[in-house]
Each structure stands twice: as structure tokens, then as C-alpha cells.
Amino acid sequence: MLFYPIEYVGTDWYRGHDSPFGLFGWQGVVPTKTERMAGRLVDIVTKRLLSLPEAFDRLEAGKMATLLAPAVEEAIHNECGHYCAMALKPFLPMVLTRLVTSLQGEIEDVLDLRSVVLSAFVRDKEVLVALFQKVGRVELNFLVESGLGFGALLGLGQMAVWARKPYSWTLPVAGALVGYVTNWIAIKLLFEPAEPIECGPFTIQGLFESRQPAVSDEFGSFMETRVLSSTKLLEALASGGDGGDLYAFLRRQLPYPFPSSVLTAAVKALRTAATNPDKYPELHSYVKERLDIEDTLSSRLKLLSPIDFEDLLHPVFQEDEMTLIVVGGVLGAITGGMQTKLGWGGAPAVARARSIFTLFFTAASSAIFFMVKEREILEDELEEEVPVVVVPKLARRNTVVIVKIDQL
């Protein structure tokens, strides 16, 4: 319900603005709030993690000129003719080197980083969904799996209430309360406490904040691959054609009487090189290596305070936290009603048989679910190469309590 369906499914008879639910319909919370959540992510990236001038200063102007020269020369040949291309060829390396150097000083005027990141998420909602699912997969699994433990504990109280008050409304009401409280506790444990609290040999901290090193690496990898790749950055740089910021920059650097057709060819050359990484592999490899987006984002995300780091994933739950909790209550009430119908009522023998069937079916379903999840986790661990991160020795598996091995 957090992520799917991507588009609203149901009737449009009544649906509030920016609401995931209608009278008879639903849209995933994240796709519904794409622009708002993407905006918060953009603020984190552009204000706290990545500086365009710093990143582009890592490029060597001469090297970039050499790598861009073949594409520019080909574009000039196509746009301006053979003789123009031959006449400019001896000067091309020098001119391109000077242009790259100047561009590094004006990169924020030519390339809008906020627009690049925001458009990547808004244009394709599945990109934002994939990001949250990747960096928050442990937390999402915890949210699902913790329902069994919390539900079982609270279910004991539900049974006691039923034993004392065996009315038709008892189980639905108790089920609603169990569902509500279970979701509330699970969501709170994901992010609270933000700062670690020492309790003897134990450290208590929100599950997400405690995974800051691992999440930072996953976030950096995803952003470099899906959002801030060399292809997307170079393509954004060349966007707009003759009316774009790059063309205006080139005209400032190469005023009239320098032919406009050559400037147009240069912009087209960069766009061609950006969208054809297989044809210009050295250029893309060099840009990726020198900009170092993945390591930059990862290392700086690790330096954020736990409270600031929380902003990376908390918006997923924060935007409609109460909706998710209330949905848990509604589902609990429905389950309680089913328990009343399937598990109790009628002749004693029939009621006993229904109760045994309900308990067996529930236990078997839970066991199958966890076996499938464990298998998926093992397969993922075998397929993925987990980066080595230097962290204190901790014994922990998706919990909010860390046991310090050295103190045991």
C-alpha cells in the first residue's frame, strides 16, 4: 500500500487532493506524494551532499577536450560541411579546453542540479518507488514481520477479553485495537530513538538510523546509476538546443562573428555523446570516475547526524503515517469479524473444529511466509556483493537493540 499501485485504481467519485485513497480506490502513498517526497530528497542531495562546482572541478579540461573532440568534429562536419570541419580541426583542442575550463566556473548557471534530480523522480514515479524500496528494504521487512510478534502478544490480550466478554462485537473491536497498536509500535521503532541510547551492554536506536553506513552506500549507488549517471548529467547539460543554457554559455564565450552553426553543432555533439555511451565509452567512464557521485553521496550521508539522516526515508511513512496506522486498525477489525464467523459460534463441536482450522491455517500461512522471506534474503545475499564498511562490532539482525559483542 505504500508503493502500489503506481497510478490510482478505483472510482473518482470522491478523492481528496493529494490523497492516496478515494471513496472506492487506492494509489500507493509514495506515487501519490511523488513531487513532495522528491522535493525533500532533492533538498538533501543539493544542499547537504553534492556540490556541482566541486564535482566538475575534478574534471581535467584537457582530458575532457580530447574525449569530446571526435563527437564535436563529427557534428561540425554534419552541420557546417567538410571544409569548415577541416579548418577548425587544428584549433579544436585548444578551444574545447578553454570552454571546459570556463564551464567549470559557471556550471551552476548552465546545469540545474535540482531540476535534474527532481525530473528523474517526477517523470517516472517508479524510480522514486525503487529508491525507497532499495534503501528501506530492511525497514519494510521489519514493518511486515513485526506484525506477527506484536500481533501475537496483543492477541493474547484479545483472547482474554473474548473469554470474559464473548460477544459478537468483542473480536472485531479488539482486532481493530490490535491492528492499530501493532502498526503504531512498528513505525515508531523504525525511527525512534534517533540518537543511540546506551543501556549496559545494549544500545537502543531506531532501526533505520542504526543502518546509516549500509543505507548510505546503497543510496549513493542508486543515485549514480539511476538519477545522476554520466548519461543523464551530460544530456541535461545539452538540453534546450539553441535555446538552452549551454548554447547561451557558448555564445558568451565565442561571440559574433563566430558562426552560430558551429555552436549548434557543439550542443548537438554533446547530446549525441550523452545518449550514446556505447559509442563514446571512454568519455562516460571518465566522467563517472572523476565526478565520483556514488562515493561523494555515500561518504557525506554517513556524516549526517542521525536526525538529519532520518529525513531520507521517514517521509515515506510521515506523509500518511496516520492513514497507515488506521488501515491497520480497519484490517484488524475485518480479521476479528472473520474470527467471529470462522472460529466461534454455533454448536460446540462445530465451533471447536472451526477454531482448530483457523489456528492451523494461520500458523501454516505464517510459517510459509517466513520460509519464503528467508529464502529470498539468502538469495539476495548470494547475488549481491556487500561493501565492506568499518563499523563497531555489533550483533544484530533487523532489530532496534544492538548487543555489543565486546561487552558480553
Side-chain angles (χ1 to χ4, degrees):
M1 297 183 75
L2 277 173
F3 302 109
Y4 298 104
I6 297 296
E7 300 297 337
Y8 181 75
V9 175
T11 66
D12 289 323
W13 293 344
Y14 173 78
R15 186 187 182 195
H17 176 67
D18 226 14
S19 171
F21 61 89
L23 185 60
F24 297 104
W26 183 267
Q27 181 182 14
V29 173
V30 172
T32 302
K33 313 283 186 175
T34 293
E35 291 192 24
R36 189 181 305 175
M37 291 187 181
R40 294 182 66 166
L41 270 178
V42 169
D43 287 339
I44 293 174
V45 172
T46 58
K47 296 179 180 179
R48 304 181 187 179
L49 305 180
L50 187 63
S51 165
L52 272 184
E54 178 187 354
F56 274 79
D57 276 346
R58 299 173 189 151
L59 299 173
E60 296 179 11
K63 179 69 173 179
M64 279 295 292
T66 301
L67 295 173
L68 287 170
V72 175
E73 185 178 341
E74 181 181 350
I76 293 175
H77 182 277
N78 295 335
E79 292 289 323
C80 309
H82 174 73
Y83 293 108
C84 182
M86 291 298 293
L88 292 175
K89 184 175 181 178
F91 308 100
L92 208 52
M94 178 187 66
V95 173
L96 287 176
T97 300
R98 187 169 72 85
L99 288 175
V100 172
T101 301
S102 299
L103 180 61
Q104 289 174 319
E106 299 183 35
I107 189 63
E108 289 186 306
D109 296 328
V110 182
L111 180 61
D112 185 352
L113 180 60
R114 181 179 179 84
S115 177
V116 173
V117 178
L118 190 60
S119 63
F121 291 131
V122 174
R123 184 173 57 250
D124 186 357
K125 297 177 182 177
E126 291 189 5
V127 174
L128 187 62
V129 168
L131 172 61
F132 284 135
Q133 287 180 325
K134 181 178 179 65
V135 302
R137 67 182 186 278
V138 171
E139 288 70 29
L140 294 170
N141 287 338
F142 173 81
L143 189 64
V144 174
E145 296 170 1
S146 64
L148 179 64
F150 297 140
L153 291 174
L154 294 172
L156 295 176
Q158 184 180 5
M159 291 172 59
V161 172
W162 167 257
R164 295 291 302 273
K165 302 288 184 181
Y167 303 128
S168 60
W169 53 265
T170 302
L171 290 179
V173 171
L177 183 62
V178 168
Y180 183 94
V181 173
T182 296
N183 277 12
W184 181 82
I185 292 175
I187 291 176
K188 289 300 179 183
L189 290 180
L190 290 182
F191 303 103
E192 296 180 15
E195 298 288 349
I197 299 175
E198 303 289 341
C199 296
F202 303 100
T203 299
I204 301 174
Q205 187 178 21
L207 179 58
F208 183 65
E209 289 89 348
S210 67
R211 291 200 320 115
Q212 188 165 351
V215 171
S216 298
D217 290 335
E218 292 171 350
F219 180 79
S221 174
F222 184 94
M223 292 295 290
E224 182 180 70
T225 304
R226 301 285 298 273
V227 180
L228 295 173
S229 64
S230 57
T231 296
K232 294 186 181 298
L233 287 173
L234 293 176
E235 190 175 6
L237 192 59
S239 64
D242 291 353
D245 292 328
L246 180 61
Y247 183 91
F249 164 79
L250 293 176
R251 175 49 73 194
R252 291 196 302 271
Q253 298 297 319
L254 301 170
Y256 293 103
F258 201 86
S260 298
S261 57
V262 175
L263 305 186
T264 300
V267 175
K268 288 184 177 180
L270 185 58
R271 186 185 306 114
T272 300
T275 55
N276 292 276
D278 294 336
K279 187 177 180 181
Y280 302 97
E282 291 185 23
L283 172 64
H284 285 268
S285 177
Y286 178 75
V287 171
K288 177 182 177 180
E289 177 186 350
R290 298 298 294 179
L291 294 185
D292 201 18
I293 299 294
E294 179 178 349
D295 287 344
T296 299
L297 293 178
S298 174
S299 61
R300 291 182 179 171
L301 198 53
K302 292 174 184 176
L303 296 176
L304 292 181
S305 69
I307 294 177
D308 290 336
F309 174 74
E310 177 186 314
D311 286 341
L312 195 65
L313 184 64
H314 203 174
V316 176
F317 301 94
Q318 204 171 35
E319 286 291 340
D320 273 281
E321 183 173 308
M322 186 51 63
T323 299
L324 296 172
I325 294 173
V326 170
V327 165
V330 172
L331 294 177
I334 293 173
T335 302
M338 294 175 62
Q339 288 173 334
T340 302
K341 293 296 183 181
L342 297 177
W344 294 271
V350 175
R352 188 179 300 109
R354 288 177 175 176
S355 300
I356 293 173
F357 172 77
T358 302
L359 292 172
F360 176 79
F361 178 78
T362 303
S365 300
S366 299
I368 293 172
F369 171 78
F370 279 100
M371 284 190 290
V372 171
K373 293 292 291 183
E374 287 298 317
R375 183 179 180 84
E376 291 177 351
I377 291 172
L378 289 175
E379 290 176 351
D380 290 342
E381 290 177 349
L382 291 174
E383 291 176 0
E384 295 183 7
E385 180 180 351
V386 181
V388 178
V389 181
V390 179
V391 295
K393 292 183 178 179
L394 305 174
R396 176 211 189 99
R397 181 181 177 86
N398 302 353
T399 65
V400 294
V401 179
I402 307 171
V403 182
K404 298 179 182 177
I405 295 177
D406 293 340
Q407 297 185 20
L408 292 181

